Amino acid sequence: MGMGGSGMKRWIRWPGLIGFTIFVVVVVALWFLFMDTLVRRAVEKAGTALVGAEVDLARAQVTLVPLGVTLSGLQVTDPSAPSTNSIEVLRIAFRLDSLNLFRRKVIIDEMAAEGVRFGTARKRPGKVVVPPPKPPEAKEKEAALPSFTVPDVKKVLQQEKLESPALIEQAQADLKKKSEAWQKTVASMPDKAALDAYQARVQKLKETQKGGLKGLKGAAADALALSKDLNRDLDSVKKAKASFGTDLAAAKALVEKAERSPLEDIRRIADKYSISSEGLQNLSQALFGGAIRSWVDSGVLWYSRLKPLLERSGEKKGNVQVVKPLRGRGVDVRFREERPLPDFLISTIKASLQPEAGTFTGTIRNITPDQAVLGAPLTFSFAGSGMKDAQAASITGRLDHRKAHLPDDALDIAVRGYQANNLALSSAASLPISLQEGVMDLEVKGRRDAKTVSARCVALVKGVRLNAGGDGSGGAFANAIRSSLAKVSSFSLTAEIAGTPENYGVRISSDLDRVMRDAAGGVVREYRDRLEKELRQAVLEKTETKLAGLKEGLGGLGSQGGKLDGLQDRLNSLIKEAGSSAGGKIKLR
């Protein structure tokens, strides 16, 4: 008995057993005392690093059997608005796969998220660690509506260069040059003395005809010489008239262009200082483009925040992949596995979202930054239930980043019977427009890949009451639109988004365009008529005298043509008279 007791003491080593027991008790005690705190701090630290802004967790509770975690009161600061939470979750509960945890893989089969809300106020502003990425710079800024106050025409003409005076002066110079050239040409033609000499030769021919047989022989020779001279001069006059006709037509066209130039100046300046009919074709773009663009930018900003949860940088080397962990230093080397699993995976999240419109319940599947390893994209589907402001709503989507260089994301949103109240449509300073009341059906379909982003949003609104401000600011144009919108009971609005992820455009169209265009058209015409009237008076004062001189110059050029006509008639008359005197030997040409 003594030997057995002694052997047992040597085999058990009671001091060591007691020490081990104390150690285990201490570890367990520390677990229960500090594990919850350690997990809470770990969640806050990792969340802050991931989001770039302060993440707060009210409480974390860890259970050993089964291994699970419950997080309560999670608040994530909005980096772009530190006084609010981008997301707040009342309770998150999940269980961990213990076996995979030993393999350094965090695998969660199912997670429950309750009381998810967006844009809630914080008791104190959260710290922003990394400034949020800026949305793409808007290439199309919101257009300011015209005031339709007729500008001071004198100041306008001081700023705008008139083209008509210089054009008229150039036309005068060209016309003067042509006139001088034709004066020389006409002067080179037979003058009065030459014509009188021809007349004398004709008279002599007549007298020779009375001299008998001997006189007839001399008359024939004189008649041939006279015919040759007269027809030579007549040919020169005809050629000059043909050339003159071409020059006169060009001169008339030049004068007509100069006469139109003041009107073109008036039209050009009026177009610049007033809204054209084309400018009324898409007033929705000017009014609603800014607000819709800001909504789209917010969506792009949220997408950029989610991207670290969808993919992480990696480099393929043979049969192994070197990836950068979500946090920490160094790299993880992933070797080929028979049934590969990502380092981090939440297979399913069942969530209850609580935006202002009501409650959404749904499922998110396959949350992992290693979709290529899992072989499946992230998908989500939510539907509204018990909503106070809408009959039905659904949100479905797919974020496919299995090939990081070829992402393929899609989003579909459908809302039926949404009771819209005080919804800002336009933030234009001269004409802010809000939807006070209305029942809206909304449909959004969007897609994004590596090179392009595209989306189409269609809203149909009935039972409409629009508010376009009642202070009368913005001038006659804005007042006309206010009056027309007050009568609208329903409308549709379509937004088309297209471009690259870094640079996209938003195009807005609506049947409100017709309503606003009809209402504003009369104001536009009245304004333009007044502007053109004042411009016409001012421009014509600067050009009337020059135009009168130009017309006078054209008349002077035309007189040269009259001289050629008269000369041709006189030569034809002489040829006819000479032919008669020579017995028909001289023919009129």
Side-chain angles (χ1 to χ4, degrees), residues 373-496:
V373 177
L374 182 65
L378 183 151
T379 61
F380 55 89
S381 177
F382 287 88
S385 61
M387 303 176 68
K388 61 179 181 179
D389 293 332
Q391 296 175 0
S394 65
I395 303 174
T396 60
R398 179 194 71 250
L399 303 177
D400 190 345
H401 289 241
R402 286 174 289 181
K403 296 181 180 179
H405 63 291
L406 293 174
D408 185 9
D409 303 332
L411 173 68
D412 289 341
I413 301 175
V415 180
R416 298 289 179 267
Y418 173 61
Q419 300 288 337
N421 295 304
N422 298 320
L423 178 63
L425 298 178
S426 167
S427 57
S430 56
L431 192 63
I433 300 174
S434 62
L435 179 61
Q436 296 294 99
E437 293 179 4
V439 180
M440 179 187 299
D441 290 344
L442 177 69
E443 185 175 275
V444 179
K445 291 184 177 295
R447 185 168 182 178
R448 179 195 183 277
D449 57 30
K451 295 183 179 180
T452 61
V453 58
S454 62
R456 177 180 173 86
C457 172
V458 179
L460 304 176
V461 192
K462 300 178 181 179
V464 169
R465 185 165 67 88
L466 292 168
N467 181 9
D471 58 359
S473 62
F477 184 79
N479 287 334
I481 292 180
R482 285 190 185 96
S483 177
S484 66
L485 294 181
K487 303 173 184 177
V488 171
S489 60
S490 64
F491 70 90
S492 65
L493 188 147
T494 302
E496 302 275 356

Side-chain angles (χ1 to χ4, degrees), residues 37-114:
T37 301
L38 293 175
V39 170
R40 178 174 60 81
R41 290 179 179 175
V43 169
E44 291 178 339
K45 183 177 180 180
T48 299
L50 184 64
V51 177
E54 183 176 349
V55 172
D56 300 307
L57 184 63
R59 183 185 177 192
Q61 184 177 1
V62 181
T63 59
L64 286 175
V65 182
L67 182 59
V69 178
T70 301
L71 309 178
S72 302
L74 178 67
Q75 297 186 39
V76 180
T77 301
D78 186 343
S80 58
S83 295
T84 61
N85 292 310
S86 59
I87 186 171
E88 182 177 359
V89 186
L90 183 64
R91 180 177 179 273
I92 299 174
F94 58 90
R95 293 180 181 178
L96 290 164
D97 186 326
S98 304
L99 180 60
N100 277 298
L101 195 60
F102 283 107
R103 300 170 59 195
R104 300 182 63 191
K105 294 179 181 290
V106 178
I107 307 298
I108 301 171
D109 288 332
E110 184 174 309
M111 176 184 289
E114 302 172 358

